[in-house]
């Protein structure tokens, strides 16, 4: 039996592209936003019912979570690439091996992160100078989050399988249900029973468990060769090596990003809990907008992977053009909207004037120009779809992460102002965008796409 993209999801190999890219990217962006809403709802509830210290404890953990999780989430990009490539070349047995290998990687990575996250939670928070009035609550939330990390890995890798076949809608449906569960449990445990940070941590864990169950159920009822059979979970060398070749550079890129952001978070912490709370509130909207960027980057990986395998190079050129302009415009609109209505959006988390001051500084310096990051993210996704994963990873690490680390260590000590700290974001985006776009053009010239 041949794997046919028409029968399993969007037909990425034939017909129009613009509408299909939108149909792929929008549910994916919405799914990521819903995942982030787990954390945002946690923050909103504790910010209003447990104080700014609880808000800081929950919100400041995002960079630490990214530090530990991103390597394995990056490997899921490899899953996306492998399955898309097999669909393009109509290799059904390869798809079946990829699904079996993906399930094995999800289980192993989930349990590795479970033990690492719980054991390293407090040492990491101490290393980034988390204030004494926040650290106990931060540790509690972080350990509860990592107690549910196997569920998160199962959902992310399961979603990558569906994404490779062009299906981004069913993961969204899963998240709609689990998001409602998270919200109800937050209100029940925090507002009704006064459990504070522990309550929001438990709510997130339970919601993630439902997510994993939903995605497993979907894959178990999928048609051959995409059906998940837990008894056949295995590691197939060819598929695993390709997943790692594409996924590990993406994961390392994310980890180095996280290290740079943890370093920046350490500097934010030095301004006190109001700065931590304001920055955490603004960061939520950066996450929402980044998910738009990531969705179009993922679309570039999947569409490029299928069409390159099918030998359709002219379509690859159009895929890049459409994903780039759609990403810049849609992200830019939300960047402007959130910054324009800063008071309304920050009030969702906390109404203290000092918190608002720091939130607006971050929105003005980081959120408003965030669309610039589309340049290197979409170009990186396109390069990965063409089979080049290490190149964009290295360029992004140098242009963004190394620059941010140097900025924190050499500029901030002599200019200790929150505005100076935030300025490194747009500067690093411009530098990285120029380098990755140039690399994409050179690779495409070599492959005869341009």
């Amino acid at each position: 039996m041949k794997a046919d993209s028409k029968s399993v999801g969007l037909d990425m190999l034939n017909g129009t592209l613009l509408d299909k890219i939108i149909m792929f990217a929008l549910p994916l962006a919405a799914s990521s936003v819903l995942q982030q809403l787990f954390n945002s709802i946690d923050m909103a509830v504790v910010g209003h019912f447990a104080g700014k210290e609880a808000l800081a404890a929950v919100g400041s953990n995002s960079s630490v979570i990214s530090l530990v999780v991103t390597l394995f989430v990056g490997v899921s990009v490899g899953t996306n690439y492998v399955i898309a490539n097999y669909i393009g070349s109509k290799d059904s047995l390869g798809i079946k091996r990829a699904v079996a290998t993906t399930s094995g990687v999800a289980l192993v990575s989930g349990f590795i992160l479970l033990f690492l996250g719980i054991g390293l939670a407090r040492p990491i928070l101490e290393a980034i100078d988390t204030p004494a009035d926040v650290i106990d609550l931060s540790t509690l939330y972080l350990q509860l989050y990592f107690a549910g990390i196997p569920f998160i890995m199962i959902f992310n890798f399961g979603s990558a399988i569906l994404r490779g076949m062009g299906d981004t809608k069913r993961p969204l449906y899963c998240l709609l249900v689990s998001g409602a569960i998270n919200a109800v449990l937050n209100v029940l445990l925090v507002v009704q029973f006064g459990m504070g940070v522990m309550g929001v941590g438990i709510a997130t864990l339970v919601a993630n468990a439902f997510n994993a169950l939903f995605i497993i159920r979907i894959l178990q009822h999928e048609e051959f060769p995409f059906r998940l059979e837990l008894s056949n979970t295995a590691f197939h060398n060819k598929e695993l090596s390709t997943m790692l070749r594409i996924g590990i550079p993406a994961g390392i890129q994310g980890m180095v990003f996280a290290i740079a952001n943890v370093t920046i978070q350490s500097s934010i912490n030095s301004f006190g809990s109001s700065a931590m709370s304001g920055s955490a509130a603004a960061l939520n909207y950066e996450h929402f907008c980044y998910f738009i960027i990531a969705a179009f980057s993922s679309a570039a990986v999947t569409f490029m992977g299928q069409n390159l395998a099918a030998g359709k190079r002219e379509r690859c050129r159009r895929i890049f053009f459409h994903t780039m302009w759609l990403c810049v415009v849609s992200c830019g609109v939300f960047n402007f909207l959130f910054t324009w209505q800063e008071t309304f959006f920050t009030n969702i988390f906390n109404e203290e004037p000092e918190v608002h001051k720091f939130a607006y500084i971050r929105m003005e310096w980081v959120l408003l120009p965030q669309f610039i990051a589309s340049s290197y993210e979409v170009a990186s996704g396109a390069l990965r779809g063409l089979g080049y994963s290490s190149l964009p990873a290295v360029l992004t690490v140098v242009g963004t992460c190394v620059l941010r680390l140097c900025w924190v260590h050499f500029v901030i000590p002599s200019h200790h102002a929150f505005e100076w700290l935030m300025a490194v974001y747009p500067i690093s985006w411009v530098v990285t965008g120029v380098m990755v776009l140039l690399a994409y053009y050179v690779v495409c010239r070599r492959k005869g796409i341009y």
Side-chain angles (χ1 to χ4, degrees):
M1 178 179 177
K2 298 289 187 183
D4 184 351
S5 63
K6 291 182 181 178
S7 64
V8 298
L10 293 173
D11 180 6
M12 302 181 185
L13 302 175
N14 302 284
T16 58
L17 282 169
L18 182 61
D19 57 334
K20 292 173 184 175
I21 290 171
I22 294 172
M23 289 171 63
F24 180 96
L26 289 186
L28 181 56
S31 296
S32 299
V33 167
L34 281 172
Q35 282 188 297
Q36 176 60 29
L37 278 175
F38 287 2
N39 185 254
S40 299
I41 292 169
D42 292 349
M43 289 175 59
V45 171
V46 297
H48 284 285
F49 295 98
K52 70 177 182 181
E53 288 79 14
L55 171 60
V58 174
S60 63
N61 269 318
S62 60
S63 59
V64 178
I65 291 169
S66 295
L67 174 64
V68 184
V69 171
T70 45
L71 175 62
F72 295 99
V73 172
V75 177
S76 73
V77 174
T79 295
N80 189 1
Y81 170 81
V82 170
I83 291 178
N85 204 263
Y86 280 146
I87 290 174
S89 57
K90 301 187 183 299
D91 185 349
S92 59
L93 291 178
I95 294 172
K96 182 179 180 180
R97 292 194 301 269
V99 170
T101 302
T102 297
S103 61
V105 173
L107 290 172
V108 171
S109 61
F111 283 105
I112 289 174
L113 287 175
L114 169 66
F115 295 110
L116 280 177
I118 291 176
L120 295 176
R122 192 175 188 94
I124 292 174
L125 291 169
E126 289 173 345
I128 62 173
D129 299 322
T130 303
D133 61 341
V134 173
I135 192 165
D136 288 337
L137 292 175
S138 292
T139 302
L140 174 62
Y141 181 79
L142 198 55
Q143 289 178 333
L144 283 169
Y145 184 91
F146 278 103
I149 204 69
F151 304 128
I152 295 173
M153 289 295 103
I154 289 170
F155 179 79
N156 283 334
F157 278 92
S159 297
I161 294 171
L162 295 175
R163 196 162 60 240
M165 55 192 267
D167 182 358
T168 55
K169 292 182 180 178
R170 283 184 290 177
L172 173 60
Y173 302 152
C174 296
L175 286 162
L176 284 170
V177 177
S178 59
I181 292 170
N182 184 57
V184 170
L185 287 176
N186 268 327
V187 173
L188 183 65
L189 298 177
V190 178
V191 180
Q192 185 69 27
F193 294 107
M195 294 176 67
V197 170
M198 178 180 287
V200 296
I202 292 172
T204 300
L205 190 158
V206 172
N208 283 324
F210 275 99
N211 253 345
L213 290 174
F214 293 151
I215 208 75
I216 289 172
R217 188 71 174 168
I218 288 172
L219 289 170
Q220 285 180 325
H221 288 81
E222 192 54 60
E223 294 181 359
F224 176 86
F226 298 96
R227 185 183 302 119
L228 174 63
E229 298 172 345
L230 295 177
S231 60
N232 290 333
T233 298
F235 294 97
H236 296 279
N237 290 336
K238 180 183 177 182
E239 286 68 32
L240 180 61
S241 63
T242 306
M243 286 179 194
L244 297 180
R245 178 175 62 83
I246 298 295
I248 284 182
I252 291 175
Q253 174 183 323
M255 282 188 70
V256 178
F257 254 122
I259 290 170
N261 289 336
V262 165
T263 303
I264 292 175
Q265 183 64 48
S266 180
S267 294
I268 292 171
N269 293 351
S270 69
F271 290 92
S273 59
S274 292
M276 292 173 66
S277 298
S279 178
L283 185 60
N284 271 274
Y285 301 109
E286 291 171 38
H287 284 317
F288 294 150
C289 295
Y290 175 76
F291 293 141
I292 295 172
I293 298 175
F296 285 106
S297 177
S298 182
V301 174
T302 308
F303 278 75
M304 284 279 200
Q306 285 200 24
N307 282 275
L308 183 69
K312 299 188 175 185
R313 285 175 167 76
E314 189 275 334
R315 286 175 69 84
C316 290
R317 184 167 64 250
R318 289 191 287 130
I319 287 164
F320 178 76
F321 173 74
H322 286 315
T323 51
M324 180 61 77
W325 79 260
L326 284 168
C327 187
V328 170
V329 171
S330 53
C331 182
V333 167
F334 282 99
N335 291 155
F336 173 76
L337 175 64
F338 288 137
T339 307
W340 175 43
Q341 295 295 324
E342 174 272 335
T343 301
F344 171 79
F345 287 113
T346 305
N347 274 342
I348 293 173
F349 299 101
N350 192 276
E351 297 179 356
E352 294 186 24
E354 191 70 8
V355 172
H356 270 257
K357 182 185 79 171
F358 286 103
Y360 185 68
I361 291 172
R362 179 155 191 147
M363 286 182 165
E364 189 176 35
W365 283 87
V366 183
L367 180 62
L368 190 59
Q370 189 187 16
F371 66 91
I372 299 170
S374 304
S375 58
Y376 69 84
E377 289 286 357
V378 173
S380 294
L383 283 167
R384 291 191 173 100
L386 298 175
Y388 290 79
S389 190
S390 297
L391 178 59
V394 170
L395 294 176
T396 304
V397 165
V398 173
T400 298
C401 306
V402 173
L403 194 154
R404 289 179 188 178
L405 291 172
C406 290
W407 187 273
V408 168
H409 284 97
F410 297 111
V411 176
I412 297 305
S414 58
H415 298 83
H416 193 255
F418 200 68
E419 291 87 344
W420 276 87
L421 182 59
M422 296 296 103
V424 70
Y425 286 98
I427 293 171
S428 64
W429 292 332
V430 171
V431 171
T432 308
V434 170
M435 292 194 300
V436 179
L437 284 169
L438 181 59
Y440 170 76
Y441 178 74
V442 171
V443 168
C444 286
R445 291 282 292 181
R446 290 178 181 174
K447 285 188 168 291
I449 294 174
Y450 288 102

